[in-house]
C-alpha cells in the first residue's frame, strides 16, 4: 500500500509543477488528451530533491538491497572545487529513498562502473570526477573500499599531474586475483583559460580494481589534453583488445586514436593509429562500437566537437563515412538503433547550435548506418548535451529515439523560464515527436536518462534528473532525480538504454 506521506509528497511536487505550467501557458486544462493521472498517460512514481546540488552524471541501475527491484546510483556535486556530503548517492528504486551517500571534495560528474569487487553478489560502484577523484564504494553499505589518490599516495599531485577522471572500463584480470581490472582516462584542467595551448597532457591508466593502485600509465601520443571516456573492442584477450580514445577540447584541437591494449600494458602509445584529426576542436564524447558493414566485426562511430560524425571500419580502420552537421558542436555520444528499413543499425546524434560556450538549440540528426546518409535532421529544444536513447516504444518493429528535451519560454520583459521533459521521436510513419510527461520546471544540462524495467513488470521505467531552477540552465543549486513509470511494454531487452549503452561500455 502506498503511504499517505508518499501520496502527499507526490501531490505537492505535481501540484507545484502544474501551477507553474498554468502560469506560463504550457498546458490547457480543457484538453481531452489526458491519461490516468489526469494529464499524462504515464506516472511520476517518485521524485527526490537534493538542495544546493546539481549533476552532470548519468544514472546507472543495479540491486543494492536485494529486494528484486533495481536501485539507482548517480554522481552529483556543487561547482568546481567545492566539497559536498552528497556527491555519490544510491537511491532505492521502489521508494526514491536514499540507501547511502558519499562525500567528496569535488564534483562527481562521471557515471558509475558496476563490479562485484567483494564477491558478495552485490555490485560495487566505481565512479570519478574532478580533482583526481576516483573511488570504489561498497554497494551494500556505501563504505569506501579505495580512493585513487590515497591508494597511490598522490595527494601532492592533485591538479598538478592528475586531474579529471572519466568513465572507467573493465579489463581482463591482470593481477591474478580473479577480479577484472580497470582502464580509465585522466586529464583536463578547468582552471585553464579558453584557447590556452599550455595544458597538461592527458593519460590512460590501468588500475587494479581491488585496491585502485596503478598498474600502468601512458601519456597521450600528441601531448594533448583529454576529456574522452575510452571505449574498448569486444575481444576477450589482452592481445586482441583495441582501445579508442580522443584528445583536444572545446577550443583546442585534437585527434581520435585507436591503439592495442597490449601496447598500453607495455607502456607505450607510439603505435597508436590516428583515425581522424580536428585542428581547432577535439574529440570529447565517447565513441560507439557497432557493426555497420555486416562483416561480423564491430566498427567505430565517433562524434567530433566540430560537428562531424565519423564511422570507421573496425577491421581495416579505414573511414566508412563522415557526416558534417553545419553550425553545430557535439558533446554527446552517438546512439544506435534500427530506424530505417534495413537490418543494419543506424546512428542518432544530438548536436548543439552555436559555438562554445554560446549555444541555443539542439540539432538532432539520424544517419543511415549502412550508407552514411543524413536521413533526418531537426532543430528543437534548448541546449543540452545528454545522449539519445533507443527503444521500440510502440511495438511496430522499428525503434524510436528517446531524448531529454529542454524547453524555454520568454515573457514580455525578456525573462526566460526553463522546463524539461522526456520526448520520443518516431521515424516509421513520417517523423513525429511526442512528450511522455508534462514538462517540469527546470533544466537538464547533460545527464542522460536511464531506461529499462526496474521491477520486472514488463513496462518501461525512465530515471532522469534535472535542476529545479526555473531561471538558469547551468545550475547547481537544486537537483531532482525522478522515476517515470510508463505504459510502454518492454517485450525485449533494451539495447541502448543509458549513457554509453545499456552495458555502459559503448558497445551495441
Amino acid at each position: 500500500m502506498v503511504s499517505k506521506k508518499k501520496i502527499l509528497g507526490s501531490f505537492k511536487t505535481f501540484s507545484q509543477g502544474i501551477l507553474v505550467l498554468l502560469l506560463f501557458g504550457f498546458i490547457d486544462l480543457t484538453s481531452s488528451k489526458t491519461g490516468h493521472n489526469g494529464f499524462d498517460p504515464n506516472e511520476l512514481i517518485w521524485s527526490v530533491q537534493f538542495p544546493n546540488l546539481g549533476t552532470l552524471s548519468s544514472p546507472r541501475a543495479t540491486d543494492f538491497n536485494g529486494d528484486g527491484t533495481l536501485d539507482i546510483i548517480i554522481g552529483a556535486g556543487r561547482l568546481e572545487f567545492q566539497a559536498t556530503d552528497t556527491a555519490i548517492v544510491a537511491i532505492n528504486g521502489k521508494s526514491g529513498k536514499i540507501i547511502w551517500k558519499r562525500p567528496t571534495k569535488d564534483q562527481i560528474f562521471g557515471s558509475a562502473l558496476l563490479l562485484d569487487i567483494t564477491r558478495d553478489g552485490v555490485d560495487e560502484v566505481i565512479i570519478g570526477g574532478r580533482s583526481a577523484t576516483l573511488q570504489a564504494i561498497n554497494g551494500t553499505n556505501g563504505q569506501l573500499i579505495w580512493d585513487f589518490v590515497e591508494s597511490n599516495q598522490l595527494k601532492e599531485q592533485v591538479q598538478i599531474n592528475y586531474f579529471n577522471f572519466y568513465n572507467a572500463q573493465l579489463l581482463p584480470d591482470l593481477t591474478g586475483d580473479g577480479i577484472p581490472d580497470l582502464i580509465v582516462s585522466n586529464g583536463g584542467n578547468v582552471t585553464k583559460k579558453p584557447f590556452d595551448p599550455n595544458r597538461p597532457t592527458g593519460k590512460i591508466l590501468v588500475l587494479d580494481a581491488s585496491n585502485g593502485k596503478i598498474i600502468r600509465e601512458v601519456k597521450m601520443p600528441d601531448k594533448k589534453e583529454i576529456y574522452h571516456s575510452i571505449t574498448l573492442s569486444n575481444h576477450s584477450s589482452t592481445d586482441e583488445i583495441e582501445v579508442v580514445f580522443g584528445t583536444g577540447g572545446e577550443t583546442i584541437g585534437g585527434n581520435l586514436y585507436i591503439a592495442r591494449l597490449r601496447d598500453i600494458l607495455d607502456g607505450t602509445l607510439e603505435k597508436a593509429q590516428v583515425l581522424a584529426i580536428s585542428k581547432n576542436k577535439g574529440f570529447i564524447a565517447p565513441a560507439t562500437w557497432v557493426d555497420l558493414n555486416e562483416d561480423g566485426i564491430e566498427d567505430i562511430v565517433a562524434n567530433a566537437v566540430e560537428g562531424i560524425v565519423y564511422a570507421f571500419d573496425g577491421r581495416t580502420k579505414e573511414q566508412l563515412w563522415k557526416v558534417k552537421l553545419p553550425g553545430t558542436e557535439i558533446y554527446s555520444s552517438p546512439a544506435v538503433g534500427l530506424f530505417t528499413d534495413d537490418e543494419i543499425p543506424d546512428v542518432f546524434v544530438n548536436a548543439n547550435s552555436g559555438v562554445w560556450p554560446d549555444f541555443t538549440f539542439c540539432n538532432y540528426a539520424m544517419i543511415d548506418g549502412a550508407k552514411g546518409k543524413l536521413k533526418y535532421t531537426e532543430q528543437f529544444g534548448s541546449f543540452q548535451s545528454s545522449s539519445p536513447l533507443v527503444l521500440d516504444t510502440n511495438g511496430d518493429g522499428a525503434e524510436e529515439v528517446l531524448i531529454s528535451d529542454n524547453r524555454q519560454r520568454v515573457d514580455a520583459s525578456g525573462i526566460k523560464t526553463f522546463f524539461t521533459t522526456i520526448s520520443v521521436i518516431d521515424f516509421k510513419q513520417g517523423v513525429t515527436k511526442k512528450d511522455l510527461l508534462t514538462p517540469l520546471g527546470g533544466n537538464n544540462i547533460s545527464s542522460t536518462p536511464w531506461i529499462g524495467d526496474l521491477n520486472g513488470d514488463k513496462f518501461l521505467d525512465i530515471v532522469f534528473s534535472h535542476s529545479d531552477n526555473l531561471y538558469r540552465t547551468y545550475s547547481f543549486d537544486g537537483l531532482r532525480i525522478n522515476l517515470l513509470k510508463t505504459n510502454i511494454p518492454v517485450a525485449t531487452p533494451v539495447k541502448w538504454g543509458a549513457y554509453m549503452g545499456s552495458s555502459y561500455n559503448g558497445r551495441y
Side-chain angles (χ1 to χ4, degrees), residues 295-324:
D295 65 354
I297 297 173
E298 290 180 334
D299 305 306
I300 302 147
V301 180
N303 292 336
V305 171
E306 62 181 336
I308 299 177
V309 186
Y310 290 95
F312 302 94
D313 188 301
R315 181 174 59 86
T316 67
K317 311 305 184 288
E318 294 179 356
Q319 182 179 293
L320 295 174
W321 48 257
K322 76 173 184 178
V323 174
K324 173 68 175 176

Side-chain angles (χ1 to χ4, degrees), residues 2 40 55 140 142 190 199 205 214 241-242 329 347 363 382:
V2 179
D40 298 313
T55 190
T140 301
V190 72
R199 292 165 181 262
L205 293 93
I214 298 172
I241 293 173
E242 294 180 297
E329 293 185 1
V347 177
N363 284 264
S382 301

